[in-house]
Amino acid sequence: MTPESEAQTRRKRIDPLLKQLGWEIVLFEAGLDRAKLLRHAVTEHPTSSGPSDYVLFVKGKPLGALEAKRLNVGSEGVLDQAKRYSRDIEAGAGLWNGYRIPFLYSSNGQQHWFADVRRDGYVSRQLPGGLHAPEALEDLFSADPAEAFAWFQAHPIEEITRLRPYQVKAIESVEAALEKHRRDLMLAMATGTGKTFTIAALLYRLLASGYAKRILFLVDRKALAAQAVRELASFQTPNNRKFNADYEVYSQRFRREDFGDEEAFDPKVLPETYLTKPDGAQTFVYVSTIQRMAMNLFGQGFGVGEDTEEETEAKTLDIPIHAFDLIIADECHRGYTLQDEQVWRETLDHFDAVKLGLTATPAKHTTAIFGHPVFTYGMQQAIDEGWLVDFDQVDVDSQVRLLGVPLKEGEQIVTVDKETGEQVVDEAAAAKQFGSADTERVITAPDSNRKIVEEVAKHALAHEQEHGRFPKILFFAVNDLPHVSHADQLVRACREVFGRGDEFVQKITGSKTVDRPLQRIREFRNRPRPMVAVTVDLLSTGVDIPDLEFIVFLRPVQSPILWTQMIGRGTRRSPNFLKNRFLVFDCFNGSLVARFKDLKDFGEMKTKARTLPNKELIEAIWSTTGWQQADLVKKLGQRLEGIDRAMSGKAREDFAAFVPGGNLKAFAQTLPQKLQDDFLGIMTQLRDKTFQELLENYERAREDFIIAPLVEDTVVSELKFRRGQDFLKPVDYLYAFTAWAESRKDEIEAMRILLKRPQDWSPKALKELKQALTTGQFDEEHLQKAHAHVHHKDLADILSMVKHAVRDEEPLLTAAERVDRALANLTAGKTFSDEKLAWLGYIREHMVTNLSLDPEDFDLVPVLENHGGLSRAKKVFGDELATLIRDLNAACAA
């Protein structure tokens, strides 16, 4: 085939594209009146160094120069030619470092490159979505990034209240990257660290400065879209106004119940013309799902799994590439198949906009799109700095989860038709051991699920007794498939075990069996009920549930990205109570936590490759040769063998019209040789329409799901405390603490006082001791629980635990026992007035909590200050007060 010439490329590809965008193409003639060139592409426009292929005029100004090359020539390097014409045109639109035309293009009709040469250090970029329309060039020409950066300098980020220090640094990093011409950026911030609030602050600054006008906020779940709209609506600008009072905030259509009665705003739906006819005067933020935007652009969405959300109302629109000048991609790590990732890329690439990705898990496939993060704030750093909480681990040892389901010959089973849900009681024809991977996918043992729920319930009831509140619990199920839903089975088990009604336990998935899932999420997050939720994917990422205290993994997670996101559901601090830790129930005896314990790099997420339809696969074999064809033939053979395994007897009879005996497996195994011997004949057979329709619609053999009602599971659980990266059993935690205390007893001044000089004990020493424990990665509550488990002593005080670690004979006392012992020793044989006895009672109340006393406490601690403080205490005890304080501290530490 003769290569396409440059003239043909211009005529067949570039001219139609320009006309489609609204450019009127005219040939340069002497005396051409520029004032009449409103949206014109003038061809062969002269310059002192030769004619430019196209000069793009908008309202009389030459704003663009486009150089064309034939299709088989790469267009990137041709920009230099456009630069030369920009410098050498006689009358330009201005002067920028020697350039008279600001916007330069090169194109071969398929690839388009662009440069805005007005700024020092400009960087050219590709325009995968096409060229700019006249309105886009006018909009670009009116924008002045230098003014925006000057605004940033004049308005410190700290003008926005409630920003945390790391959030300020995140915004600083983005603004600095924008000033360096970065257009693909990523913020990596741990789940729960306020990415959306940070972005709301950033969006305010970008809009207020004029850097951006039309902003697209992309999410991958409707729940996240609703959450983003709420966050923007509630954001307070430095002008003491709500964000949506200063700037238009639009979204896709929601139902009012998705927000709840307490919401004081009505989210507005974006007018269609904002997408199809962008106006430079418009300033707005549009929150949309990626699925909806993909439908608008390409007529197709994406998504896999039980929690996939559809965008059935979205229609295909003609959206120009300048519809947005900034795109925020929330949870940008998502994309479970190669096809999904391609849709993400194509959606982002369509727009000539700055792209900012947000994620807690920056993996290789994400950095390939957005570049390396401009700012990173990880989970462990956020925990260390006190913004997030860490977790402890409960190993749930379930033989069924670890080894699978054993069936005995003749044992009663129930088979379930996956298509209809019909159940038939039967007997196992032979003994078989189903593997752990088959559990809840091929077979289920209800006893296992119930016993696991019972183990979780034991911990939940103990938590309720200790803290006075039932913990919010999130179960991650394996699936939520019709008729064989693991999520449904867990909901039933939880309702039976907890015994607190249907409203107490709810399923929250994207399944059509869940009515109003966004409302369910909101209720789980904000209301007393439900307290227990069962999900698969829908709550795995992005959704804030600060009160969550238990996460139960019955789903065998493989992806480090997904694991981190799921764990992140529990790391947020609660505004309603003191939350220092949450519990992770690993129903695979700790193997999940162990798998991801030393996670440092998220690597590249394993994605499911796009499945090429059979017809396309066969046509690809027809049109290729060599190794590519051989690879495609191998894939088709594997596909045919898979069909052979899955088809019914009737389907085999149907295939017999094309393949001897309908034996697709034998046909597939000999396919390479058959094609080599008779390529045209075999391809005619493969390309037969009836054969191809049969490949898609053959009758499948019935595939039943098995319920094993008589199989009993053995389930036990064990709490483990986190120390650094290790999770330790209570006894091992105490061993580690004993070794640490023994090695530090002569180094830490507070320990030397406690063990050798109790007369010097003070609040300062207590504070130093607690800080030493924290530095040593020990937690006082953990130590108390470990002693309760090992020594059956509840609520041992910190002094007892330290002394017992060094001297095994030291008794374990509660704080109340220790203070009472100290007071008894001091008051033995002495007589006190009623007022002194009352004051000793107040002091006791304070010391049970603080295990030390300081003169300053009398005017700071309510129980002492409310009874007259230090001045009254001095009147009551006189000169004896200082001695009393010293002796009480010494007796407490003794």
Side-chain angles (χ1 to χ4, degrees):
M1 182 181 293
T2 304
E4 189 173 278
S5 68
E6 181 179 316
Q8 289 173 320
T9 296
R10 291 176 62 174
R11 185 175 64 255
K12 290 171 55 178
R13 302 178 187 277
I14 298 177
D15 287 356
L17 178 58
L18 290 171
K19 291 176 182 178
Q20 182 183 352
L21 291 170
W23 294 101
E24 183 177 341
I25 301 175
V26 296
L27 178 66
F28 178 83
E29 295 178 352
L32 190 66
D33 186 357
R34 286 190 170 199
K36 295 181 179 180
L37 300 178
L38 303 181
R39 44 193 307 124
H40 290 74
V42 179
T43 62
E44 305 306 320
H45 193 290
T47 74
S48 62
S49 58
S52 172
D53 289 340
Y54 303 85
V55 174
L56 307 177
F57 283 83
V58 178
K59 295 182 179 180
K61 294 181 179 180
L63 298 186
L66 188 156
E67 283 307 299
K69 289 298 175 184
R70 63 181 183 271
L71 182 62
N72 63 349
V73 174
S75 59
E76 182 177 6
V78 185
L79 268 177
D80 286 340
Q81 195 171 342
K83 294 174 186 177
R84 172 160 51 85
Y85 294 145
S86 172
R87 288 190 295 265
D88 295 346
I89 194 170
E90 182 177 351
L95 188 63
W96 303 272
N97 298 320
Y99 295 106
R100 292 183 169 85
I101 298 177
F103 307 124
L104 310 181
Y105 301 83
S106 60
S107 175
N108 64 5
Q110 291 293 113
Q111 292 184 333
H112 320 285
W113 282 83
F114 169 75
D116 177 352
V117 298
R118 294 176 299 170
R119 292 175 60 192
D120 292 337
Y122 68 86
V123 178
S124 60
R125 61 182 183 267
Q126 193 172 7
L127 299 175
L131 298 170
H132 290 119
E135 296 80 8
L137 282 196
E138 184 179 14
D139 198 17
L140 282 171
F141 190 63
S142 66
D144 186 356
E147 290 184 3
F149 298 131
W151 187 96
F152 292 154
Q153 294 296 322
H155 294 79
I157 298 171
E158 289 79 5
E159 286 182 350
I160 301 172
T161 59
R162 293 173 50 218
L163 279 173
R164 299 168 182 174
Y166 64 85
Q167 293 171 330
V168 172
K169 291 180 182 178
I171 295 172
E172 286 175 345
S173 299
V174 171
E175 292 176 356
L178 293 176
E179 194 162 8
K180 294 177 181 176
H181 308 281
R182 282 279 301 270
R183 292 181 62 84
D184 298 311
L185 309 95
M186 187 185 349
L187 278 181
M189 295 173 63
T191 298
T193 55
K195 288 191 294 294
T196 308
F197 181 76
T198 304
I199 291 304
L202 176 64
L203 293 189
Y204 162 75
R205 288 178 60 79
L206 294 174
L207 290 168
S209 67
Y211 182 88
K213 293 182 178 180
R214 301 179 300 276
I215 298 174
L216 174 61
F217 197 132
L218 281 178
V219 298
D220 75 333
R221 299 283 173 85
K222 290 179 182 178
L224 301 186
Q227 186 170 295
V229 170
R230 279 198 307 269
E231 191 79 53
L232 288 173
S234 63
F235 181 82
Q236 192 89 6
T237 72
N239 302 321
N240 292 321
R241 290 168 57 85
K242 297 294 186 183
F243 186 99
N244 60 350
D246 284 342
Y247 304 103
E248 295 177 281
V249 177
Y250 294 102
S251 70
Q252 60 192 86
R253 192 174 304 280
F254 295 108
R255 291 176 291 194
R256 180 171 292 277
E257 59 269 17
D258 293 336
F259 293 90
D261 298 335
E262 71 273 13
E263 302 295 343
F265 73 101
D266 183 15
K268 297 183 292 185
V269 177
L270 184 78
E272 189 175 295
T273 55
Y274 276 46
L275 292 175
T276 57
K277 297 180 179 180
D279 182 346
Q282 295 165 342
T283 301
F284 66 90
V285 178
Y286 174 44
V287 182
S288 170
T289 62
I290 177 69
Q291 293 91 334
R292 185 177 190 87
M293 186 53 64
M295 288 291 293
N296 289 154
L297 289 173
F298 314 121
Q300 63 172 348
F302 70 91
V304 297
E306 294 83 43
D307 287 343
T308 299
E309 296 180 318
E310 298 179 356
E311 290 286 357
T312 54
E313 298 178 0
K315 60 181 179 180
T316 306
L317 301 172
D318 184 13
I319 304 176
I321 68 172
H322 69 288
F324 301 101
D325 42 35
L326 173 68
I327 299 176
I328 306 293
D330 196 16
E331 306 294 347
C332 65
H333 57 275
R334 298 287 288 226
Y336 290 127
T337 69
L338 293 178
Q339 185 175 9
D340 292 351
E341 187 177 330
Q342 184 64 23
V343 173
W344 257 111
R345 283 178 177 270
E346 290 177 358
T347 301
L348 293 169
D349 286 347
H350 174 81
F351 298 103
D352 180 36
V354 173
K355 285 99 176 181
L356 173 60
L358 310 178
T359 184
T361 49
K364 292 178 181 177
H365 73 282
T366 317
T367 57
I369 299 175
F370 298 96
H372 290 284
V374 296
F375 177 78
T376 299
Y377 191 70
M379 182 186 295
Q380 193 57 54
Q381 184 179 356
I383 290 171
D384 293 342
E385 294 179 2
W387 298 110
L388 298 180
V389 300
D390 211 339
F391 67 92
D392 291 323
Q393 172 183 340
V394 177
D395 287 352
V396 181
D397 184 352
S398 159
Q399 294 303 294
V400 165
R401 303 295 144 179
L402 294 175
L403 303 177
V405 181
L407 279 185
K408 301 174 184 176
E409 182 178 352
E411 184 172 354
Q412 184 188 90
I413 60 173
V414 178
T415 60
V416 182
D417 187 324
K418 291 184 177 181
E419 296 295 323
T420 67
E422 179 187 5
Q423 295 189 5
V424 177
V425 178
D426 203 347
E427 292 181 348
K432 182 173 181 179
Q433 175 69 44
F434 288 87
S436 59
D438 296 326
T439 305
E440 311 307 344
R441 292 183 171 89
V442 177
I443 188 170
T444 185
D447 181 69
S448 175
N449 286 305
R450 182 182 178 89
K451 284 181 177 174
I452 288 173
V453 171
E454 288 173 346
E455 285 298 311
V456 174
K458 291 178 185 176
H459 292 271
L461 294 175
H463 182 283
E464 185 176 34
Q465 184 175 5
E466 180 181 354
H467 299 286
R469 65 176 183 274
F470 192 93
K472 283 221 181 238
I473 306 174
L474 180 61
F475 282 82
F476 282 107
V478 174
N479 59 53
D480 187 21
L481 299 171
H483 310 306
V484 295
S485 168
H486 183 223
D488 284 345
Q489 188 179 163
L490 286 176
V491 168
R492 290 192 296 269
C494 287
R495 286 173 176 171
E496 291 172 6
V497 171
F498 292 119
R500 305 194 188 193
D502 284 5
E503 299 304 317
F504 194 78
V505 181
Q506 290 288 317
K507 180 175 74 171
I508 306 179
T509 69
S511 166
K512 294 179 180 178
T513 62
V514 178
D515 183 38
R516 299 176 178 175
L518 297 192
Q519 182 179 351
R520 293 283 174 266
I521 293 172
R522 179 175 54 80
E523 291 170 349
F524 186 51
R525 181 180 60 238
N526 298 331
R527 296 184 180 178
R529 293 196 173 193
M531 290 300 292
V532 179
V534 179
T535 192
V536 178
D537 278 323
L538 195 58
L539 296 182
S540 65
T541 183
V543 178
D544 295 335
I545 310 172
D547 290 354
L548 188 64
E549 294 187 89
F550 284 15
I551 301 179
V552 185
F553 286 92
L554 283 100
R555 175 180 172 181
V557 183
Q558 303 296 328
S559 164
I561 292 177
L562 188 57
W563 168 260
T564 304
Q565 292 287 338
M566 294 163 89
I567 285 292
R569 299 312 99 211
T571 57
R572 290 171 174 82
R573 291 193 174 277
S574 170
N576 301 315
F577 53 83
L578 180 62
K579 176 181 170 184
N580 293 321
R581 297 264 169 171
F582 66 102
L583 279 183
V584 169
F585 290 79
D586 184 339
C587 297
F588 303 90
N589 200 27
S591 61
L592 283 183
V593 175
R595 177 181 302 159
F596 303 113
K597 184 181 73 169
D598 298 320
L599 182 64
K600 292 183 176 63
D601 183 0
F602 294 101
E604 188 164 10
M605 184 167 68
K606 294 180 179 179
T607 53
K608 299 177 182 178
R610 174 177 179 253
T611 301
L612 203 65
N614 291 319
K615 181 178 180 180
E616 291 184 27
L617 180 58
I618 291 169
E619 288 305 305
I621 293 172
W622 173 256
S623 60
T624 57
T625 59
W627 67 268
Q628 289 179 307
Q629 186 183 79
D631 186 58
L632 294 168
V633 170
K634 181 179 179 181
K635 289 181 179 178
L636 179 61
Q638 293 170 341
R639 189 86 56 87
L640 295 176
E641 288 192 43
I643 294 173
D644 188 87
R645 290 191 297 271
M647 67 175 149
S648 67
K650 180 183 181 303
R652 196 170 297 279
E653 292 176 354
D654 294 337
F655 276 114
F658 302 94
V659 175
N663 190 340
L664 286 183
K665 179 178 180 180
F667 179 76
Q669 291 174 343
T670 58
L671 183 60
Q673 187 61 48
K674 288 179 180 292
L675 285 168
Q676 187 173 337
D677 295 341
D678 184 12
F679 183 79
L680 290 177
I682 297 301
M683 287 305 302
T684 299
Q685 180 179 341
L686 292 175
R687 299 176 78 194
D688 183 275
K689 290 185 179 180
T690 304
F691 177 72
Q692 291 184 355
E693 289 176 3
L694 190 57
L695 289 177
E696 300 297 330
N697 303 312
Y698 66 91
E699 183 179 89
R700 273 70 171 173
R702 174 168 166 167
E703 183 182 2
D704 288 339
F705 183 79
I706 301 171
I707 301 173
L710 301 184
V711 171
E712 294 187 359
D713 194 8
T714 301
V715 179
V716 294
S717 65
E718 183 173 38
L719 176 64
K720 289 184 176 180
F721 303 123
R722 184 163 188 165
R723 184 181 181 229
Q725 293 301 311
D726 296 320
F727 291 87
L728 304 176
K729 298 177 182 179
V731 65
D732 294 330
Y733 195 78
L734 292 184
Y735 282 148
F737 181 65
T738 297
W740 174 85
E742 184 64 35
S743 66
R744 298 293 192 276
K745 65 182 181 181
D746 295 323
E747 297 177 9
I748 300 170
E749 175 64 10
M751 291 184 69
R752 289 200 297 268
I753 292 173
L754 179 64
L755 298 172
K756 297 179 181 180
R757 305 194 321 271
Q759 68 274 13
D760 294 331
W761 186 249
S762 66
K764 179 181 177 183
L766 177 64
K767 182 179 180 181
E768 182 185 341
L769 181 64
K770 289 185 175 183
Q771 182 58 51
L773 262 65
T774 301
T775 303
Q777 298 182 317
F778 290 100
D779 180 89
E780 184 176 354
E781 184 179 346
H782 285 167
L783 289 169
Q784 288 179 328
K785 289 182 177 180
H787 278 292
H789 182 85
V790 176
H791 298 118
H792 309 291
K793 178 63 179 182
D794 292 328
L795 299 176
D797 72 81
I798 187 173
L799 308 190
S800 292
M801 293 186 292
V802 172
K803 295 175 79 170
H804 184 79
V806 178
R807 304 169 184 159
D808 189 59
E809 69 279 3
E810 285 281 349
L812 289 169
L813 304 174
T814 66
E817 290 170 345
R818 176 170 295 280
V819 174
D820 287 342
R821 186 183 70 172
L823 283 168
N825 290 337
L826 286 180
T827 59
K830 298 178 182 179
T831 303
F832 295 90
S833 67
D834 289 344
E835 189 172 11
K836 284 185 177 180
L837 287 174
W839 269 94
L840 289 174
Y842 308 147
I843 291 171
R844 176 195 180 276
E845 185 176 345
H846 166 67
M847 291 192 68
V848 165
T849 303
N850 297 276
L851 292 174
S852 61
L853 183 63
D854 190 275
E856 293 181 356
D857 295 338
F858 286 85
D859 287 330
L860 298 175
V861 178
V863 69
L864 301 176
E865 192 271 336
N866 290 342
H867 290 90
L870 184 61
S871 61
R872 186 60 193 170
K874 285 181 176 179
K875 289 181 180 179
V876 172
F877 291 101
D879 295 338
E880 298 176 353
L881 182 60
T883 302
L884 175 66
I885 293 173
R886 185 192 66 227
D887 292 347
L888 268 176
N889 282 330
C892 192

